[in-house]
Amino acid sequence: SSTTLTNNNRIEIADVLRGFAVMGITLIHFIERFSLNSFPEETSNFLMFTDKVIWDSTFFAFSGKAYCIFALLFGFSFFIQDNNQKEKGKDFRGRFAWRLLILMIFACINSMLFPGEILVLYAFLGYVLIAVCRLSTRTVAVIAIILLSQPVEWGQIIYAHINPDYVMDAEFDGPYWEIVNNAAKEGSFLEMCKTAIWTGNVANMGWMLLHGRVTQTAGLFMVGMLIGRRNLLPYSEKNIKLWINVFVVSTLAFFPIYGLMGILPDFISRESLLVPSPLILKSLSNIAFTGIFFAGIIIVYYLTKFKNIL
């Protein structure tokens, strides 16, 4: 059920993809002012225009996509480490569980300064890789597809049809973010850290749950592991053909899904349906755009003269 790597040399394209993902995530956090919702008053029409252009274009290009690439590579890195230890006759799962505990410590320290960070979620969800890493490729692929299809949101849609009075609370994390922002603006450094590490993580995890990031991240972890298992990142003619197909299919899928997001509210009047339905489409469009980025970078890296730049 697995294909071992042909050698132990570092796979540079993985570093390229990871660097691209971190760049995108960082740019998003920069213009969001690291979750501190405090912006200077805008007085220049020119700067208001450029701010909007930068905000909209950066979010269109990277929001929900750079994070997807990062999640894929988390699963890929797990496979590399697990596979290397398996070839030595060792079981990596216990060591990985310990590493996730260490990751949680780093994540908590980081969240004191930036309550919108992602590592707490990774530290929790990383254990799904331990649970599935010995399953067959087909079984893992099926589980990943189910998770990426946003099963919680589909459940909400089904329940809303069964119970017409059901109304989903789509903003329950808002009051928690307000507490965190007030502590950051007005509290001492210690008050800010204490509020961020608990209330901030509650708000952040609430946002993740509301926006389908929990199941999506777990599914992306598994897909990344399968990319490593099938040895799809190193150069080969077969792999290049695969990534060209991924690029084409992702491009063809993205535009109709993204376009449907804009007109969906015109056809849905019930709030209980209007919350989960666009979220499903947005998640699918992000995955499609991630396929464009992921496959596109691989193609450019291997087939053009921009390898060193990347």
Side-chain angles (χ1 to χ4, degrees):
S1 63
S2 65
T3 302
T4 57
L5 297 174
T6 56
N7 54 59
N8 289 324
N9 293 332
R10 191 169 187 89
I11 302 175
E12 291 183 351
I13 185 60
D15 292 327
V16 171
L17 289 162
R18 186 176 291 107
F20 183 86
V22 171
M23 176 193 72
I25 293 169
T26 305
L27 289 174
I28 289 289
H29 291 330
F30 278 169
I31 64 174
E32 282 187 326
R33 300 173 71 85
F34 293 88
S35 296
L36 178 63
N37 293 317
S38 176
F39 297 88
E41 182 180 356
E42 296 175 301
T43 57
S44 166
N45 289 331
F46 174 74
L47 291 181
M48 290 172 64
F49 168 77
T50 55
D51 279 359
K52 182 171 178 55
V53 170
I54 292 171
W55 182 281
D56 290 347
S57 59
T58 303
F59 267 81
F60 175 79
F62 298 113
S63 179
K65 295 92 172 176
Y67 132 85
C68 284
I69 297 176
F70 198 70
L72 287 170
L73 294 170
F74 187 86
F76 176 80
S77 296
F78 167 79
F79 168 78
I80 296 296
Q81 297 170 84
D82 182 45
N83 188 67
N84 287 342
Q85 293 301 309
K86 193 161 55 174
E87 289 183 344
K88 298 175 183 178
K90 299 178 182 179
D91 192 334
F92 179 67
R93 288 174 291 182
R95 186 176 178 184
F96 185 67
W98 170 245
R99 287 188 174 190
L100 290 174
L101 290 176
I102 297 176
L103 179 63
M104 177 60 77
I105 296 173
F106 279 112
C108 289
I109 294 173
N110 192 39
S111 65
M112 288 191 297
L113 302 176
F114 175 41
E117 62 92 60
I118 196 73
L119 295 180
V120 172
L121 180 67
Y122 277 38
F124 278 125
L125 290 183
Y127 291 96
V128 303
L129 290 169
I130 298 175
V132 304
C133 66
R134 296 298 181 261
L135 300 178
S136 68
T137 296
R138 178 176 296 180
T139 302
V140 177
V142 170
I143 296 172
I145 290 172
I146 293 173
L147 292 173
L148 292 175
S149 66
Q150 304 300 140
V152 175
E153 285 67 35
W154 280 111
Q156 291 171 347
I157 291 175
I158 294 171
Y159 183 75
H161 280 292
I162 297 173
N163 182 5
D165 297 327
Y166 169 69
V167 177
M168 178 183 174
D169 183 5
E171 301 293 339
F172 80 83
D173 60 320
Y176 295 99
W177 283 120
E178 186 176 352
I179 294 172
V180 174
N181 287 329
N182 288 337
K185 294 175 185 176
E186 303 170 4
S188 66
F189 179 75
L190 291 179
E191 289 172 338
M192 181 194 74
C193 292
K194 183 177 70 172
T195 304
I197 197 172
W198 176 250
T199 308
N201 277 317
V202 171
N204 195 35
M205 293 301 292
W207 187 92
M208 298 286 182
L209 287 168
L210 286 173
H211 290 80
R213 289 290 179 89
V214 175
T215 54
Q216 188 184 62
T217 301
L220 290 168
F221 283 176
M222 295 179 195
V223 174
M225 184 184 74
L226 294 182
I227 289 174
R229 185 183 285 189
R230 303 303 297 173
N231 202 22
L232 298 179
L233 287 189
Y235 176 83
S236 72
E237 291 186 6
K238 181 180 178 181
N239 285 348
I240 292 299
K241 290 179 180 178
L242 170 69
W243 290 117
I244 290 175
N245 289 335
V246 170
F247 181 85
V248 172
V249 172
S250 298
T251 302
L252 293 176
F254 171 75
F255 290 101
I257 297 174
Y258 188 79
L260 187 58
M261 286 171 50
I263 64 175
L264 192 65
D266 296 334
F267 299 94
I268 298 177
S269 57
R270 289 178 54 190
E271 184 178 351
S272 57
L273 297 176
L274 194 56
V275 173
S277 299
L279 196 150
I280 292 172
L281 291 177
K282 184 175 182 180
S283 297
L284 293 176
S285 70
N286 284 341
I287 292 172
F289 206 99
T290 299
I292 296 173
F293 266 150
F294 201 89
I297 292 170
I298 293 173
I299 293 168
V300 170
Y301 181 81
Y302 284 129
L303 299 184
T304 72
K305 299 179 180 180
F306 295 100
K307 177 176 180 179
N308 291 334
I309 295 176
L310 289 174

